[in-house]
Structure formats: C-alpha cells, structure tokens
Amino acid sequence: MTDVRPTDDVDGVLHTLFRSDQGGHEQVMLCQDRETGLRAVIALHSTALGPALGGTRFYPYASDEAAVRDALNLARGMSYKNALAGLDHGGGKAVIIGDPETVKSEQLLLAYGRFVASLGGRYVTACDVGTYVQDMDVIARECRWTTGRSPENGGAGDSSVLTAYGVFQGMRAAAQTQWGEPTLRGRRVGVAGVGKVGHHLVEHLIEDGAEVVVTDVRAEAVERITARHPRVTSVATADVLVRSPLDVYAPCALGGALNDETVAALTATVVCGAANNQLAHPGVEKDLADRGILYAPDYVVNAGGVIQVADELHGFDFDRAKAKATEIFATTLAIFERAKADGIPPAAAADRLAEQRMAEARTAAPVGTR
C-alpha cells in the first residue's frame, strides 16, 4: 500500500467542511460504482427543517476536489433557499463527476439512485445542470426519494414554469420597493438568457406591460422570442445588455453575472433574475447597494422550482404549488424591509432570515429527533 499524502486542495475542502464559516455540513457521502463509472458526491448541509432537498448536477469537473467543493457550496445554498421558501426541507445537493454527454447511462443513474436510497430519506433529489426529467424517472426506479419526474410517472415535470413565475413575483416586489407599485408596466427589463426559465419570464413581463430586451449565447433562443413577440428587441451580448438603458437587469443564465465590472457598468436600478450564485464574490452585494441598485437575492426569487418539486412529494397539485410560489412576493418584500431596517444589503438580510428560521427549528425540535 502506497503512502497517500493530502494535497492542499483536499485540505482546503476539509477546512471548508469542518472549520470555516461556510461549513457546518451534517454529512458528505462519496459514492463510487466502478462497473458503471459512477463517481458522485452527496452533501447534506442541514436537516433542521426536514429532509434535505436539492438537485443532482452532472458536470465534468476539473478535479475531484472541485466537485466536492461545488457540492458543499450548493448544499449550503439549498438550506437557505428552502428555509426562505417556507419549505419543511433542509438543504442538500449532489454532483456526479463526468461529461453527461459521454458517460451518462441508465445503469449509472440506477447505481446513483441506490446510493441516494441508502440515506433512507435524509436526502431528496431532483434535476439540476446536466440532469433532466427522464433521468429522474430512471433514478426513481431505485429510489423513492426522487422528485422532478415526468407527469407520466407521477411527477410534476418541467419546474422552469414556476421558477420563472417566482422570479416575476420577486421582480414585482422590487418594483414596489423601488418605484412604489408592484408592476413592471412601462419599465425596460433586460433578460440575459432566454432558455428554459428566461423565455417564461419574458412572457410574464410582456403580459405585465414591460418593454423587454433580451440576449442569449444561442441565436435560436433569441429568434424564438422575437418571432413570437416582434416588439421584443435583442442585443449581441450580456456585456452590451448591462450597458444599455435599463430599469431592471435579469440574469437568467450562468452564475457570477454580477462582478466588479458588471456592477460598475449597470444602468439598471433593480437586479432580479433566475440565475444561481449571481454574486461573483463577497462584497458585490455591498457595491450594488452603494450604487443604489436594489438586488433581489437569487436564491429567494428563483425558489419556484424547488417549491414545485417539493409539492410533488405530496402528489403534485399545480395550483397549490403556484400559490406557494406566489408567496415569494411577500418574502422578497420582507427581505427588503429587513435590509432597510438593519442598514445592510438585501443579500445579508436574506441570509439572516434564513439562519433565524433554521436556528428556531433546531431549538424547537425535541431532544432525540434531530
């Protein structure tokens, strides 16, 4: 047996898990099935509010350590998202390492489902980047703690509908706070990314009377929008969009959209979009506030999707899930009010409210049930 010495990267991951303020995870499970090639990480950040709920990401990470780190960060984010969505679920996330276009197989997904099932319901999985409804149908054959399945298999199907609806509710709350009315009528809204979620958001904005300008790296996605709505205009890139005259900027594509350069260039006075992890680094939220730009925390406003898949566990009812997603309006307003009262950016206020709900749940839980 050869001597294996920890690398700096591994030590960094373990530091995050055990010793940093970003840690505090309850459990991390490393999964391997050599026969199918499965390598996966399942991270449970908190079950204070109930079973951890979060999607499975299938992605070709640069290293195993990067995969673990991503799982830890994503799981923590789900704890906060589920807490502020008012769900009786904690936060968890899983990542499968590899290119889904080349290594994904039915047998690999079944093997993964067995690992999730071995947690006995402490983790409920769903779709994320690189996984789809049909994948959840396969995983569900080995694991009953699977959501995001097809309607034919008792599921809710595509969650992007309520994700977009929730973002729209958050945007209405931002409009109420910034301009005194909960409507985007007459406002110019720039949507960066008009894929699964973005194109539904455009529909809500047009119905509400907004002027919409879009961009996407895929020309066909833009063409689909402009063909359906000739009054929607487009620009070549997100960089052009943020510099265009806007009232609202809606990042709906990749994370990290709000960085030092973007914030300095923004003309919009509201940022509210569907993308996860929009803040490129700590401090961006303060830079936005210092410029008078109202930021609607991404994990608050994009919670419609997780609300939908959580409802599936009780026998999916679209109207019930939509009513829950409508509450994102009131939650976002409460965050803006808390931020103003405490003199802090909305992102910090959202974190405080989520941490308060989790702490109260831990305190209220009878001894022996946590």
Side-chain angles (χ1 to χ4, degrees):
M1 178 176 175
T2 58
D3 181 30
V4 179
R5 297 182 181 276
T7 66
D8 290 341
D9 280 343
V10 172
D11 184 63
V13 169
L14 293 179
H15 182 275
T16 297
L17 179 59
F18 290 129
R19 295 188 292 277
S20 82
D21 292 339
Q22 300 301 309
H25 297 70
E26 295 179 9
Q27 183 176 2
V28 179
M29 183 178 184
L30 305 180
C31 313
Q32 181 171 232
D33 182 76
R34 291 185 182 276
E35 185 174 340
T36 64
L38 171 72
R39 292 182 298 140
V41 183
I42 302 173
L44 308 187
H45 178 261
S46 171
T47 57
L49 294 169
L53 171 62
T56 296
R57 180 166 295 189
F58 207 136
Y59 188 78
Y61 291 93
S63 67
D64 295 343
E65 291 75 23
V68 176
R69 187 174 292 107
D70 198 33
L72 294 177
N73 291 337
L74 291 168
R76 182 174 183 272
M78 288 306 303
S79 288
Y80 285 69
K81 178 180 290 193
N82 292 339
L84 285 185
L87 300 176
D88 294 327
H89 284 282
K93 204 81 172 186
V95 301
I96 299 176
I97 303 168
D99 185 347
E101 297 296 324
T102 58
V103 304
K104 186 191 293 184
S105 69
E106 181 179 12
Q107 292 305 311
L108 182 147
L109 293 172
L110 290 171
Y112 169 69
R114 290 190 289 272
F115 279 111
V116 177
S118 74
L119 290 166
R122 278 173 53 79
Y123 170 57
V124 181
T125 195
C127 300
D128 196 79
V129 174
T131 60
Y132 303 92
V133 168
Q134 58 267 33
D135 298 326
M136 296 303 113
D137 284 345
V138 174
I139 293 167
R141 285 156 50 188
E142 290 284 358
C143 177
R144 64 189 180 94
W145 295 287
T146 306
T147 63
R149 296 163 293 155
S150 67
E152 296 78 18
N153 286 280
D158 182 11
S159 63
S160 62
V161 174
L162 286 188
T163 301
Y165 177 73
V167 172
F168 178 63
Q169 296 306 314
M171 200 178 290
R172 290 179 62 243
Q176 171 74 57
T177 301
Q178 197 77 320
W179 301 303
E181 291 186 312
T183 178
L184 283 306
R185 180 170 300 279
R187 301 293 174 184
R188 193 165 195 256
V189 182
V191 182
V194 285
K196 286 196 298 184
V197 175
H199 87 273
H200 287 300
L201 178 60
V202 169
E203 297 289 340
H204 289 299
L205 291 167
I206 289 172
E207 186 177 350
D208 196 37
E211 178 187 351
V212 180
V213 55
V214 302
T215 191
D216 198 294
V217 295
R218 297 158 302 141
E220 64 273 17
V222 172
E223 290 166 3
R224 176 176 65 169
I225 295 291
T226 55
R228 181 176 173 85
H229 300 288
R231 294 183 63 182
V232 171
T233 57
S234 65
V235 295
T237 67
D239 285 342
V240 174
L241 184 63
V242 298
R243 290 170 171 78
S244 302
L246 298 174
D247 296 300
V248 181
Y249 176 53
C252 295
L254 298 177
L258 300 173
N259 54 38
D260 296 337
E261 183 179 352
T262 303
V263 173
L266 267 173
T267 62
T269 55
V270 167
V271 174
C272 179
N276 286 307
N277 304 318
Q278 292 173 23
L279 303 177
H281 59 78
V284 173
E285 70 282 2
K286 184 177 184 304
D287 293 338
L288 287 164
D290 288 346
R291 285 206 59 212
I293 299 170
L294 184 64
Y295 170 64
D298 49 45
Y299 71 80
V300 176
V301 302
N302 68 14
V306 75
I307 289 170
Q308 178 167 322
V309 297
D311 190 87
E312 185 179 317
L313 297 170
H314 309 286
F316 183 61
D317 183 294
F318 181 82
D319 291 337
R320 179 176 61 199
K322 185 177 182 181
K324 186 73 173 174
T326 302
E327 295 173 11
I328 290 173
F329 174 80
T331 301
T332 309
L333 273 183
I335 287 165
F336 292 148
E337 290 166 2
R338 174 71 177 266
K340 183 178 180 180
D342 292 355
I344 57 177
D351 286 354
R352 287 185 183 181
L353 287 169
E355 288 161 2
Q356 178 181 332
R357 183 169 185 236
M358 287 186 278
E360 289 172 351
R362 283 190 291 268
T363 302
V367 175
T369 63
R370 296 193 293 272

